[in-house]
Amino acid sequence: MTTHSPPPARNAAAERAWGSLRQIVLGGNERRKEVVEALGMSFFRVKALRRIAREPVALRDLADELLTDRPYTTLVVADLAERGLVERTANPVDRRSKIVSVTAAGRAAAERAERILGAPPPALLALPEEDLAALDRITALLAGGPPHGPGR
Amino acid sequence: MTTHSPPPARNAAAERAWGSLRQIVLGGNERRKEVVEALGMSFFRVKALRRIAREPVALRDLADELLTDRPYTTLVVADLAERGLVERTANPVDRRSKIVSVTAAGRAAAERAERILGAPPPALLALPEEDLAALDRITALLAGGPPHGPGR
DNA sequence: GAAATTAATTGGACTCGTACAACTACTTCT
DNA sequence: AGAAGTAGTTGTACGAGTCCAATTAATTTC
């Protein structure tokens, strides 16, 4: 197999770009705290809520996607349920499993979080029209490539 | 003052791009675990070490930059010192404060972390030449704009 | 020179998330 | 039907970070 050696200029550009990307997203990252304060729960729970709001999930799959174990997922979901943000319903096809879905209040909270996290930083809005368009196109390409999780 | 209403098309593009940016950096984010495993310490400590390696700091400033308090910073630095990665020396101009700096071993460890974290994802390397160049240029613009902390 | 400030440290209580072990209810395999 | 496996739950132990109070040594202020 011809694994031709990596062109040095490309690598340099890619590394520089990657460094910038990390700084942009992780640098002024303090939106996490903002969301945590706004919703009054840990960021981990916000993450769980957002996932559930996207589409109902079995508890087991939720645990997998959150990269945590089933016991803790039970606890987190129970907490969200006590807050009236999610509810668990029995899965008709397999009565062992429970499907977790958002309530109206939960959807509202998730959208609130999404609004805070999804607000683009000022520097992005200040970008020249054509640069913004190019960035939009290229990042869509990058984000589209590797799908988040295995399709289930 | 004429705060003209935000052009809707721009905002849409910016929000979409911001979403993609977050997904690119945070989505395949599991390099954190890789670094943690490679260096045998928490990501927080890695972050502290990388900061110290960049330039010697007074403990107080280190605490500020890590967004944590002085007591915990003392503990973390003590741990890094026990590992032989950093050392504290008295500040000649103010003998209350201590300057924390890396040892040779600490620098090597920090560079190892940097190498892991700084490796661009495959999708980035697979980008067409001109797109990569454009991304490099635009992200540099974005990252350069807002400096992280007040210069101190 | 005495009083108020500041840097670092020590120590405590507390929250959050991870990792296991054990149990119940349900399902699937043979 | 019985055995084995799976989903969710309960409970326990632990590490990591945050928060707050108090102490010591050095500095600055009056």
Side-chain angles (χ1 to χ4, degrees), chain B residues 48-57 62 80 86 100-102:
Chain B
L49 177 62
R50 293 200 297 141
R51 170 57 191 88
I52 297 165
R54 185 157 62 80
E55 185 192 17
V57 223
L62 181 59
L80 292 175
V86 307
V100 190
S101 50
V102 282

Side-chain angles (χ1 to χ4, degrees), chain A residues 25-42:
Chain A
V25 176
L26 302 173
N29 193 15
E30 297 328 308
R31 250 170 273 248
R32 282 169 77 110
K33 290 194 176 175
E34 202 181 325
V35 187
V36 164
E37 195 177 335
L39 298 210
M41 63 180 79
S42 75

Side-chain angles (χ1 to χ4, degrees), chain A residues 59-82:
Chain A
L59 197 139
R60 140 116 222 213
D61 295 333
L62 181 59
D64 287 352
E65 291 184 40
L66 294 177
L67 299 170
T68 189
D69 62 358
R70 268 70 95 213
Y72 192 60
T73 308
T74 292
L75 192 146
V76 167
V77 168
D79 177 44
L80 293 175
E82 271 175 28

Side-chain angles (χ1 to χ4, degrees), chain A residues 9-27 29-33 50 67 114 116-121 123-148, chain B residues 9-27 29-33 50 67 114 116-121 123-148:
Chain A
R10 276 193 68 81
N11 260 344
E15 278 168 24
R16 210 168 36 233
W18 177 237
S20 296
L21 284 170
R22 292 202 305 138
Q23 188 181 332
I24 293 161
V25 176
L26 302 173
N29 193 15
E30 297 328 308
R31 250 170 273 248
R32 282 169 77 110
K33 290 194 176 175
R50 293 199 299 140
L67 299 170
E114 221 65 65
I116 295 174
L117 293 170
L124 226 175
L125 290 165
L127 220 50
E129 187 72 27
E130 58 202 7
D131 283 353
L132 179 55
L135 184 69
D136 182 18
R137 178 181 61 80
I138 299 171
T139 55
L141 214 65
L142 285 172
H148 11 69
Chain B
R10 276 193 68 83
N11 259 344
E15 278 168 23
R16 212 168 35 234
W18 177 237
S20 296
L21 284 170
R22 291 201 307 136
Q23 188 181 332
I24 293 162
V25 176
L26 302 173
N29 193 15
E30 297 328 308
R31 250 169 272 248
R32 282 169 76 111
K33 290 194 176 175
R50 293 200 297 141
L67 297 170
E114 221 65 65
I116 296 174
L117 293 171
L124 226 175
L125 290 166
L127 220 50
E129 187 71 29
E130 58 203 5
D131 283 354
L132 179 55
L135 184 68
D136 182 19
R137 178 180 61 81
I138 299 170
T139 55
L141 214 64
L142 285 173
H148 11 69

